[in-house]
Amino acid sequence: MKEAELRRLLAANLLCAGSIVLTALVPALFLDGFSVLGTHLTWLCICSVCVSVLNVTLCLILKPSPSSKRSSLSNKISRFLKCCIYFFMSCILFHAIIVLYGAPLIESVTETFLFAVLLSTFTTLQCLCLLGPNIQAWIRVFSRNGAMSIWENSLQITTTCSILGGWFGAFPIPLDWDRPWQVWPISCSLGATFGYMAGLIIAPLWIHWNRKQLTYKSR
Amino acid sequence: MRGSTSGSGLERCWPLANRRAGRAGAVAADWPEAGRGGAEDAGSGPGAGRRVGRMRLRLRSGALAAGCLLAEALGVALFLRGFFPLPVRSLPRGEARAQPPAEPAPPGPGIASNWTKIPPPLFRKVVIVLIDALRDDFVFGSKGKQFMPYTTQVIEKGTSYSFIAEAKPPTVTMPRIKALMTGSIPGFIDVVVNLNSPALMSDNLIWQAKAAGKRIIFYGDDTWVKLFPKHFVEYDGTTSFFVSDFTEVDDNVTRHLDRVLKREDWDLLILHYLGLDHIGHMTGPNSPLVGPKLREMDNVLKKIHISLLSKEGEASLPSLLVVCGDHGMSETGSHGGSSEDEVHTPLLFISSAFEKRSGPLTQLELVQQTDLASTLAVGLGLPISRNNVGNIILPVVGSKTMREQLRFLHMNGFQLSTLLQENTPAYEKDLGYEQFKIAEKSHGNWIKLYLEGNNSEILLNLGKKVLKQYLEALRTLSSSLSKQVAQYDMYSMMVGTVIVMEVLLLLFLSVPKALSSRAEFEVPLSPPLFSLLFYLMCLMLCAVHVIVCTSAESLCYFCSMSWLTAVGVMMLISALMCGILSAVGKILENSRLPLKNPGASSSSWSEVDVLILAGTIGHVLSLGASSFIEEEHQTWYFLINTLCLALCQELCRNHFLLKECDLQLGTTMKQNFDSIGEASECKNIDVQAASNSKLGKAASSAEFVKGSDKWISLASPWIILICCRLLRSLNQTGVQWAHRPDFGHWLTRGITEARFVYVFVLGIVFTGTKDLLKSQVISADSSVKSTGLWEVYSGLVLLSALLFRPHNLPVLVFCLLIQTMMTKYIWRPLKFDAAQITIMHYWFGQAFFYFQGNSNGIATVDVSAGFVGLESYVEIPAIFLTAFATYAGPLLWAIHLLCYLSSEVSRNSAAVGHGCFCYALMRSIPVAIYIVLVTGLRYHLFIWSVFSPKLLYEGMHVFITAAICLFFTAMDQNHSQKVQG
């Protein structure tokens, strides 16, 4: 059971990572002059959309969280709306945090916001897919030893990795190398993306490595 | 008393030292003795916080830290003295004035050149117009075309030569004047003594001119008058003290012009206009005030030029008008650094002796600022000053005959190679010297041909070839001489580095003991092994000292110190080494003993701990890159932001988990407490703190969670973050983003300024009194000390309010706000230990250093703080006030730390000692690593512009931290005295 689930997790994660690589390569065939660095904002949009679509699909197909209760349509719609609001709020929150970190307040609002959207896609969206709009569950997962399945473990790792990636991505900005990727927010978003991909790959491996120690309590 | 206990003291002390103190009643039998010892130290005062027993030395961790920092300050001072040698270049001017070199003798017997005198002057009168902060594009760019029509016309069509002169950093007025007049590159340390400029002692153009009987008139910046006292027959100094004075300061120069230009009784007229620099400082290079100022300058130039031209018919020789800037200005209007805007200045030679420019102005030639001195010396018919490293600008003398031109170049080359001989032992291997010798030889051949009366095309061509050879040689010579300005006194630097590194190592090794709850050390003072080692090492080091000092060719500061001092330093080094060795030995011994409580070593690390460690290491590593030094404020802002977020997470976890545990009482209780224990992370090294303390903590946390306090507590990190964001945009500092608009600029305009001052001063006074009242009301029973501390703190706050520029007062207000919030809602409830609190204080102190508008460049030091309340420049108070105003942020946070820790004494009696130790450690790590880095990077391109100012800042910070730690220790001693009493 556990092995099979781990294999599913691995497949899903690899699919996500692969899709990000594709977003960097495929649009160049359709759009003139597309490149990750040159038309960064376009790439940010494409990447966010692709990752979110893929995540939602995977969530619907794999159903990692066994939602036991049969919910009515209206219930589902309200859940969906709640999810949307949460996502939007997390975008705003990330935007605020980025500005607090020193991003310009008025200039390049688009860049900052799209970066916030990307970060939300990598973190909040996954939480929403897996846990639903349930703050208590979120707090449980993100406090220590709170994960109850390998999916939640993977969620912890990828989220932490993407945020750390974005954090580390800010380091090269003050250097005076005058490289195209030092422009705001390219280094940060690339850092977050690489962090996310690294998280996706690390998570199954880490779980595999520590599978002896990991014992999940059932709810 | 000592005698009575000493017999058994030795046996008893070793186990005592090995054991972790503070957790056992088992050693209680030993305590009374130790306690009395402690009381005695306290009585003997902060400086002598050590008690010499028979065989050991007992130190509080605060005293250890203070002692270490004092030693470190000594090491840093030595290093700085070695790193910034006072430029000792050539013999002082009066002595041994060599005759000017004759023309190179032509080979072969018989014929000899008879031209041995200095060539006659090329110009009758020279007017130098120096416009402070004149950037190259103010003359050659669009601004010049728009606002300086006459000058532009002269440049494009008139008889003039124009160049871009490159100034060497530091781009500050006094070193630039020195460079212009001596042709040498003044050492970096000149910046530090910029304010009280003493007379220029080395050979220079003005002195040469005076010695040659030229009459010099000077109007302008009074730095010149100080540099060249009694050199001018007539002068009127203006002061650059009133930075907001844009017009008077220049009118005071121009008002003399009409009178002087009519007169005939002068040879050299120097005008130094300050207005443009003032405008730049106050409003930047793009302000609307710059245009009119440039137009005014243009009119001045026009007036002088026309007057010079009108006189020309009467005399045989033409006149020369030189227009130059001493340095440029950056996009924010400041200067001091090495950006292109600050370094590039225009250099204009206008004289009717020159050929009329035919075509339009093409690419401007780049010359060095130092080239002006030798060119002017030749132009005035003076010997080139001895320390000059510049080359003659050939076009200026281009109208002369080939023989004269070659003579000038030969003089310049001869002077340069003499300077090289005086400064380099292996000068003969220098490429420039070889080239010069070759050129000199072919010059001799040329003269032979010339004297033989050969006047053909061949002579001209050969002459051109010699000219080219000379120019090449001059360029190589002057570049190799310029490099030598950075001559380091490696021996002093090494000694300083060794001391600093030893201190760091000692501090590191004593971390476990210093942070134990007793915070005391027992250093074995005189076991035979160590004393032997100590004496041996002293002997060896002294031997090395003798060898190094007798064999060194170059000047060395440490060698020139008195023998007693040197031996003292050697003893300090050996003592530190023995301390390190004994600490290592003790650690090894400890590791052999079975660990009694493994819990201490395997205590888990919370996110905050990881962040603190990673931040410290990351910051230290970032010091290796010049960009990160320029933008160091970004590092600190980034770190404190992350710290706030981590604290927020900690608060959330604390709060929400507790709520959960309130809900699920019973079975999960225990498990939850475990996680709280991990979360709130009380990382005392002595984890006597078992489950009951955790229970107590949870209970106390539960108390604070009640009510609205909870929400304020949760919101406080966010409020702090917003404050920090506002402060960050108050003063844009650094280099890359310094051009962003500041809030500060909005506040410095007009009437709002004054109102802000009133509001903030009132607010601060209110807070101060409130704090004082509070401390008196709440802790009336316990101590006068805490009141005293708060008084000191409030006094410092008020002092910095007085010294800060008005627009910086929000920094102070937010500082107080953040400190209050942090104390009330974050540190108290979360119960961090002293070490963590100290490090957080240190980080915030650093961030506030930059919030104030400081940077790692010299240009941002606000020297005007040194004049508050003083009628004129008085050195000691001015230095003190400037240092205080610069380091106000770190100082205020450090004193707040002391206040906070001494209010926490009830919880952890050794808190102050821990804090002092951590503070010393936090300061020592970056300094030690940075000193090593700078030594490694001493030939880096940016060493003078980026790394050296940072080194000065670091050094200064060490001295200040040493003072703070002494204060801490004094407080700690008082406290322990009180406890004992």
Side-chain angles (χ1 to χ4, degrees), chain A residues 154-187:
Chain A
S154 157
L155 181 68
Q156 280 180 339
I157 293 171
T158 49
T159 311
T160 319
C161 282
S162 358
I163 288 181
L164 274 183
W167 194 76
F168 281 113
F171 285 16
I173 296 179
L175 292 171
D176 58 355
W177 297 343
D178 287 330
R179 293 298 145 90
W181 47 265
Q182 280 181 299
V183 179
W184 173 250
I186 297 181
S187 62

Side-chain angles (χ1 to χ4, degrees), chain A residues 93 97 99-105 107 139 142-144 167 170-171 173-176, chain B residues 605-607 627-628 631 638 641-642 645 653 656 678 718 721-722 725 728 736-737 740:
Chain A
L93 184 70
I97 289 178
V99 168
L100 287 178
Y101 261 97
L105 183 66
E107 306 145 47
I139 290 170
F142 288 104
S143 58
R144 292 217 176 152
W167 194 76
F171 285 16
I173 296 179
L175 292 171
D176 58 355
Chain B
W605 288 56
S606 77
E607 282 87 346
S627 319
F628 278 129
E631 307 289 335
F638 199 71
N641 267 329
T642 314
L645 287 180
R653 180 184 287 163
F656 284 115
E678 278 167 0
W718 297 98
L721 277 174
I722 291 168
R725 183 66 178 86
R728 170 202 283 251
Q736 274 193 52
W737 292 282
R740 290 256 178 90

Side-chain angles (χ1 to χ4, degrees), chain B residues 350-373:
Chain B
I350 305 170
S351 169
S352 54
F354 304 151
E355 281 167 24
K356 232 183 179 75
R357 184 175 291 279
S358 50
L361 203 62
T362 48
Q363 188 67 37
L364 286 163
E365 200 188 329
L366 193 71
V367 297
Q368 293 298 314
Q369 207 176 32
T370 46
D371 295 349
L372 183 68

Side-chain angles (χ1 to χ4, degrees), chain B residues 177-456:
Chain B
I177 294 177
K178 284 187 183 173
L180 283 169
M181 287 300 118
T182 62
S184 64
I185 302 168
F188 187 85
I189 209 71
D190 273 349
V191 187
V192 184
V193 292
N194 191 3
L195 267 179
N196 61 348
S197 48
L200 185 57
M201 291 313 289
S202 59
D203 193 6
N204 61 70
L205 187 76
I206 305 287
W207 186 78
Q208 293 279 8
K210 182 161 183 281
K214 306 260 179 199
R215 286 150 301 171
I216 313 164
I217 294 182
F218 171 78
Y219 299 117
D221 188 354
D222 61 356
T223 313
W224 287 76
V225 183
K226 287 178 195 152
L227 276 179
F228 309 107
K230 299 181 187 160
H231 283 62
F232 306 118
V233 292
E234 195 181 318
Y235 63 83
D236 181 14
T238 57
T239 173
S240 63
F241 183 60
F242 303 104
V243 179
S244 52
D245 170 17
F246 300 153
T247 47
E248 282 298 312
V249 75
D250 285 353
D251 288 346
N252 279 341
V253 178
T254 313
R255 69 190 163 126
H256 301 286
L257 262 189
D258 285 325
R259 195 168 41 81
V260 167
L261 287 175
K262 279 196 197 94
R263 278 160 36 187
E264 278 295 321
D265 59 345
W266 51 270
D267 304 295
L268 179 59
L269 171 65
I270 302 171
L271 307 172
H272 187 148
Y273 283 98
L274 283 170
L276 186 62
D277 184 49
H278 289 186
I279 290 175
H281 277 299
M282 294 300 283
T283 58
N286 297 317
S287 99
L289 293 170
V290 169
K293 181 52 77 180
L294 289 178
R295 190 167 287 137
E296 183 192 330
M297 292 297 116
D298 192 44
N299 288 332
V300 168
L301 293 178
K302 185 178 179 181
K303 184 188 280 175
I304 297 171
H305 190 210
I306 287 173
S307 150
L308 287 179
L309 283 179
S310 69
K311 293 267 171 67
E312 218 133 88
E314 311 157 12
S316 53
L317 282 174
S319 308
L320 174 68
L321 170 60
V322 181
V323 183
C324 57
D326 57 346
H327 50 75
M329 63 169 84
S330 64
E331 274 307 303
T332 52
S334 67
H335 53 86
S338 59
S339 73
E340 207 158 88
D341 287 336
E342 289 162 271
V343 163
H344 283 177
T345 62
L347 178 59
L348 240 66
F349 294 93
I350 305 170
S351 169
S352 54
F354 304 151
E355 281 167 24
K356 232 183 179 75
R357 184 175 291 279
S358 50
L361 203 62
T362 48
Q363 188 67 37
L364 286 163
E365 200 188 329
L366 193 71
V367 297
Q368 293 298 314
Q369 207 176 32
T370 46
D371 295 349
L372 183 68
S374 47
T375 311
L376 278 181
V378 165
L380 286 165
L382 303 169
I384 299 173
S385 40
R386 307 167 59 94
N387 293 337
N388 164 54
V389 297
N391 304 334
I392 290 177
I393 303 172
L394 197 62
V396 176
V397 297
S399 58
K400 293 286 155 186
T401 61
M402 181 61 79
R403 188 178 180 191
E404 281 168 307
Q405 287 187 35
L406 287 179
R407 180 76 209 278
F408 296 144
L409 289 177
H410 177 245
M411 275 165 58
N412 194 187
F414 187 81
Q415 174 265 327
L416 287 179
S417 56
T418 317
L419 189 63
L420 188 76
Q421 281 176 32
E422 283 168 3
N423 282 288
T424 337
Y427 64 92
E428 273 162 350
K429 293 197 184 80
D430 193 274
L431 178 66
Y433 189 78
E434 284 169 9
Q435 283 174 339
F436 175 68
K437 282 295 159 205
I438 293 169
E440 202 173 28
K441 199 175 269 173
S442 34
H443 188 186
N445 286 332
W446 185 87
I447 287 172
K448 190 179 174 194
L449 279 182
Y450 178 83
L451 290 178
E452 281 164 1
N454 196 337
N455 226 345
S456 64

Side-chain angles (χ1 to χ4, degrees), chain B residues 702-725:
Chain B
E703 275 168 33
F704 103 85
V705 159
K706 279 173 204 153
S708 64
D709 262 12
K710 176 184 82 185
W711 293 110
I712 302 177
S713 159
L714 279 178
S716 55
W718 297 98
I719 297 172
I720 291 167
L721 277 174
I722 291 168
C723 292
C724 290
R725 183 66 178 86

